[in-house]
Amino acid sequence: MSSRPNRSPNPGAELLEARIVDALRHRVGKDERSAKPHDWFTAAVQALRDEVIDRWMDSTRRTHAAGAKRVYYLSLEFLIGRLLRDAMSNLGLGREMEQALRAQGLDLAALEDLEPDAALGNGGLGRLAACFMESLASLDIPAHGYGIRYVNGMFRQRIDDGWQVELPETWLAHGNPWEFERRESCYRIGYGGDVVANGDAVVWQPAEMVEATAVDTPVVGWRGKRVNTLRLWTANALDPIRLDAFNAGDHLGALADQMRADSLVRVLYPADSSLAGQELRLRQEYFFTSASIQDIMRRHEQYHGDIRTLPDKAAIQLNDTHPAVAVAEIMRLLVDGHGLEFDEALDITRRTVGYTNHTLLPEALESWPLPLFERMLPRHMQIIYAINSRILRDARRQGMSDGEVAAISLIDEGGERRVRMANLAFAGAHSVNGVAALHTELMKTTVFSSLHKLFPGKINNKTNGVTPRRWLQQCNPALTATIRDAIGDGFLDDAEQLSALNALAGDAALGERIAEVKRANKVALAAHLKELTGIRLNPDALFDVQIKRIHEYKRQLLNLIETVALYDQIRSHPERDWVPRVKIFGGKAASSYHNAKLIIKLAGDIAKRINNDPSVGGLLKVVFVPNYNVSLAERIIPAADLSEQISTAGMEASGTGNMKFALNGALTIGTLDGANVEIKDRVGDENIVIFGLTADEVAEKRANGYNPRAIIEGSRELHQAVEAISSGVFSSDDPHRYRSLMDGLYDHDWFMVAADFDAYAAAQRAVDQRWNDPQGWRRATLHNIANVGWFSSDRTIAEYAKDIWKV
Ligand code: 26Q
């Protein structure tokens, strides 16, 4: 750290350097000689943070002064990733930071790599919340995100002998320089106990209490226009240590309350479709929801007085049903706390709350056993019954059938009685939105058809988007610079201006430059993956990527079986002109999801066999990237040629990875599912590779009988590949390892892998053909980049603001 190159002439950089050194000495407590890289990282963040804080206070002041309506985004997940580059780049201080650090002999990129990912989310839903927070600030909309400050976020995935092993992620080990604890913002959260009469009213007397304390992180918008707050709750016992017990020798008992509180915020549930019906999960949901609602209502009273005007000053958006108990909590505070009549309270609640649905998979629709719910939240249960009686009465009045009434009920009466969180959210919100056009239509015709009939007009669509700051400018600076040279700066503030690229589709030099950027990104990724996995990749091969949570409906298995079929073909016909391919997989499996874990093992087994077979001559390589996370996505996506979006049609609500890949110039191979449909509409049929059954066809096949065995046996390629996997060709150490997985395909194949296989394989060969026409490929790439600006989360948030939140 002692080498001292020439001082930079940039005054901004010099000022920043002075601030970093000052932070290093006076806040970190180290001098330049003894400072370790982590100390420098912390000092760099602290220096940058000062700039952020001034704007943060200014934003808060402006919001107060304007008395403006605020948006509250309640989400059990925020999958943020790293913050340094985001804050730096949005403040326009990237160059200054680089120079300031260089003057101290430090490399900015190396320091950036020291920052742990804030991985407080599972996948799409959590990442969407993070993109939304950034867009809200960028659009200058006053907003707070509310969630939980998990001590252990998403687990770290290690691959041991091909198997996933989950390790705790200790993202807070070196402290978190971005956060501020707000001791004064704390609330009591009750559980259990009884509801007792109190004159005309009732009052809930919980048996147990914990305290929620706010921890705030600033969220910097593009060009530093506004800084909003992400408020995450941490938990404490009211009495952190019971001294009487401790002094009497009961050392553990004295700490028991604090341990119970700690457990509430200890871990993120690592499931992205409900498998965990555990009590702790419901406790977490109520903990963060109650704290957030109390905070929102307290702020409203403080600034506006009359709680009846809440809907004019607050828009509360529920990110899926995880915070759906908010409906009952707002009702409770209005009725029991403020003495409002039930119907007036319900009207106020509805006008304040919006609900976003992210899945139609029946197993992912949250419901809780009624006895558990009633025991934990007895007053909320009464309120839910009271709402239920009103909506069921209305349904009857409209002449709805028994079946429809049963589908509308907040209580599932089939077998063990359960509270349906989606129905509660639907009934308690004025807006219920889906996340892509197809998904929203399916909401109306399937899961929510009866509720849709009772509340016509409530369901609306808000197609997802991603922030182009993180997913283009920050992760792909070279492509950003190339686009800037071609069409100017406008697209940096309005991603839809990327469409100006369409006019340059015939510009061979531009196509060439974009291809060079892609190649450089592939070289960089190859170096990184060599480091991570030891596998050497050819940057001139087609990089074919499927990165996302491992789920049967996402059909990594379809991709793997096709990989085996291709391997077979290459060995059988070595004389043909095969397109060299690298198949990259990445993703985590929920800990208890047996088949998902087996699919990871299969990817590893296939990789081992193919990568070490000299007869494929380097034409095919398979890599499973361990511990896929936001930071890895930022390296992989800019280097992808082909984006795999191959879910069973009707099952992926939207997808957002699909948008990030297209924005970075990858072509999509995909089904007509989720937002793929809208991507196709925008990039044009000739610039995307669509295959397979439609959602209607899937539904039709399921209804009218589907015989996967006949299909497998009728397709030579598929049959050979499935039999090879099933008989242990890739698992000689345990030949039966994949027998039951493959039997599942023969016997039911719920996700229709067999039905789509031939179409998928043909589509892959069509991709090969396109690759052999580099001009055509480049043109298609350009039209993808040019036409997916609409999938900016700025557009999505602008639609929420106008249609749902009225801000
Ligand atoms: C529920 C109860 C208990 C435990 C866990 C859960 C749980 C947790 C996370 C259920 C679902 C999730 C996450 C769902 C999710 O990520 N859905 C994705 O949302 C994206 C953003 O809208 C869409 O693009 C994806 O299509 C959708 O799968």
Side-chain angles (χ1 to χ4, degrees), residues 206-239:
E208 230 186 283
M209 287 274 193
V210 293
E211 195 169 75
T213 304
V215 180
D216 288 351
T217 299
V219 180
V220 184
W222 174 233
R223 297 200 192 276
K225 226 182 268 167
R226 161 176 286 278
V227 179
N228 278 329
T229 302
L230 175 60
R231 173 158 282 192
L232 302 178
W233 299 104
T234 189
N236 285 110
L238 302 190
D239 205 359

Side-chain angles (χ1 to χ4, degrees), residues 546 554-555 558-559 644-648 669 671 691 760:
Q546 188 170 20
K554 295 179 188 279
R555 297 200 296 190
L558 176 60
N559 191 348
E644 298 269 356
Q645 308 299 337
I646 59 176
S647 50
T648 313
I669 182 167
T671 47
F691 72 93
Y760 177 60

Side-chain angles (χ1 to χ4, degrees), residues 77 124-125 128 271-274 276 281 322 358 366 435 464 553 652-656:
E77 306 195 6
L125 168 149
L128 186 76
D272 66 343
S273 57
S274 120
R281 167 80 183 191
H322 315 154
H358 297 265
E366 254 190 316
V435 291
N464 282 167
Y553 84 80
E652 188 71 272
S654 161
T656 46

Side-chain angles (χ1 to χ4, degrees), residues 263-468:
S263 72
L264 270 176
V265 296
R266 187 68 211 235
V267 288
L268 165 76
Y269 270 91
D272 66 343
S273 57
S274 120
L275 294 157
Q278 283 119 338
E279 183 166 335
L280 180 61
R281 167 80 183 191
L282 183 57
R283 282 179 170 270
Q284 286 185 330
E285 294 186 353
Y286 181 63
F287 169 75
F288 105 97
T289 301
S290 175
S292 309
I293 298 299
Q294 290 186 59
D295 197 40
I296 293 165
M297 291 177 68
R298 183 207 44 105
R299 187 176 298 113
H300 183 82
E301 284 187 80
Q302 188 180 331
Y303 290 104
H304 309 288
D306 184 359
I307 201 66
R308 287 178 177 80
T309 61
L310 185 69
D312 305 326
K313 299 294 176 185
I316 298 176
Q317 193 67 28
L318 307 180
N319 198 21
D320 216 293
T321 55
H322 315 154
V325 68
V327 170
E329 179 72 353
I330 300 171
M331 290 294 295
R332 181 181 75 86
L333 294 173
L334 291 176
V335 174
D336 302 352
H338 290 85
L340 268 59
E341 289 299 328
F342 195 93
D343 289 304
E344 186 183 16
L346 185 54
D347 176 62
I348 291 171
T349 303
R350 275 195 182 133
R351 287 193 289 126
T352 308
V353 173
Y355 155 52
T356 305
N357 173 277
H358 297 265
T359 183
L360 299 173
L361 303 186
E363 69 273 22
L365 289 177
E366 254 190 316
S367 69
W368 294 101
L370 195 144
L372 164 65
F373 202 103
E374 186 153 43
R375 198 172 2 98
M376 193 184 301
L377 301 169
R379 177 61 181 140
H380 299 78
M381 196 64 240
Q382 292 179 342
I383 291 168
I384 289 170
Y385 275 123
I387 297 173
N388 204 31
S389 81
R390 282 166 173 77
I391 62 173
L392 295 188
R393 201 180 48 215
D394 289 348
R396 284 290 177 212
R397 273 209 205 105
Q398 293 189 19
M400 294 180 116
S401 69
D402 288 352
E404 287 171 316
V405 169
I408 285 167
S409 178
L410 307 188
I411 313 292
D412 180 355
E413 305 277 358
E416 177 211 38
R417 302 203 313 156
R418 302 178 73 92
V419 183
R420 291 172 167 155
M421 303 309 272
N423 294 36
L424 173 62
F426 200 117
H430 69 281
S431 160
V432 177
N433 76 282
V435 291
L438 172 65
H439 168 232
T440 301
E441 286 316 302
L442 290 171
M443 284 171 69
K444 294 179 189 165
T445 54
T446 64
V447 179
F448 296 115
S449 62
S450 304
L451 277 161
H452 177 50
K453 194 168 156 193
L454 183 62
F455 299 109
K458 245 191 210 190
I459 296 184
N460 65 95
N461 178 245
K462 295 289 167 280
T463 299
N464 282 167
V466 302
T467 169

Side-chain angles (χ1 to χ4, degrees), residues 538-748:
N538 168 14
D540 292 313
L542 188 164
F543 278 23
D544 171 346
V545 184
Q546 188 170 20
I547 44 175
K548 48 182 80 243
R549 287 298 288 260
I550 312 293
H551 236 291
E552 287 166 285
Y553 84 80
K554 295 179 188 279
R555 297 200 296 190
Q556 282 91 357
L557 197 49
L558 176 60
N559 191 348
L560 286 168
I561 294 172
E562 200 276 329
T563 305
V564 169
L566 177 61
Y567 171 55
D568 248 7
Q569 291 279 311
I570 293 175
R571 284 192 305 174
S572 313
H573 305 286
E575 75 290 354
R576 289 193 193 154
D577 247 347
W578 294 103
V579 169
R581 270 203 198 226
V582 173
K583 287 249 179 198
I584 298 173
F585 293 87
K588 292 174 181 173
S591 334
S592 55
Y593 193 164
H594 177 260
N595 276 355
K597 289 185 148 177
L598 204 51
I599 288 167
I600 292 175
K601 176 69 174 164
L602 177 60
D605 277 342
I606 291 173
K608 199 160 56 178
R609 174 70 184 259
I610 294 180
N611 297 346
N612 296 313
D613 186 338
S615 67
V616 297
L619 287 172
L620 183 59
K621 282 269 187 289
V622 180
V623 190
F624 186 89
V625 187
N627 199 37
Y628 173 61
N629 60 12
V630 172
S631 294
L632 266 168
E634 289 167 5
R635 293 181 192 265
I636 296 172
I637 291 169
D641 294 306
L642 188 65
S643 155
E644 298 269 356
Q645 308 299 337
I646 59 176
S647 50
T648 313
M651 302 196 80
E652 188 71 272
S654 161
T656 46
N658 46 5
M659 303 164 187
K660 298 167 194 166
F661 279 103
L663 188 59
N664 283 274
L667 303 200
T668 302
I669 182 167
T671 47
L672 283 177
D673 199 13
N676 296 352
V677 178
E678 290 154 87
I679 292 177
K680 166 180 156 296
D681 290 345
R682 288 180 186 267
V683 304
D685 293 5
E686 60 294 353
N687 298 311
I688 188 168
V689 181
I690 296 291
F691 72 93
L693 299 172
T694 62
D696 287 343
E697 289 164 350
V698 168
E700 199 259 343
K701 269 203 157 46
R702 282 190 184 149
N704 299 335
Y706 164 56
N707 182 355
R709 184 172 298 273
I711 294 177
I712 295 170
E713 286 166 356
S715 164
R716 219 174 58 89
E717 259 194 288
L718 173 60
H719 195 213
Q720 272 183 14
V722 169
E723 278 306 304
I725 295 169
S726 184
S727 66
V729 169
F730 299 91
S731 54
S732 54
D733 56 324
D734 176 9
H736 296 309
R737 184 177 294 142
Y738 303 113
R739 176 61 56 79
S740 73
L741 192 64
M742 295 299 108
D743 283 351
L745 295 183
Y746 282 107
D747 295 341
H748 45 84

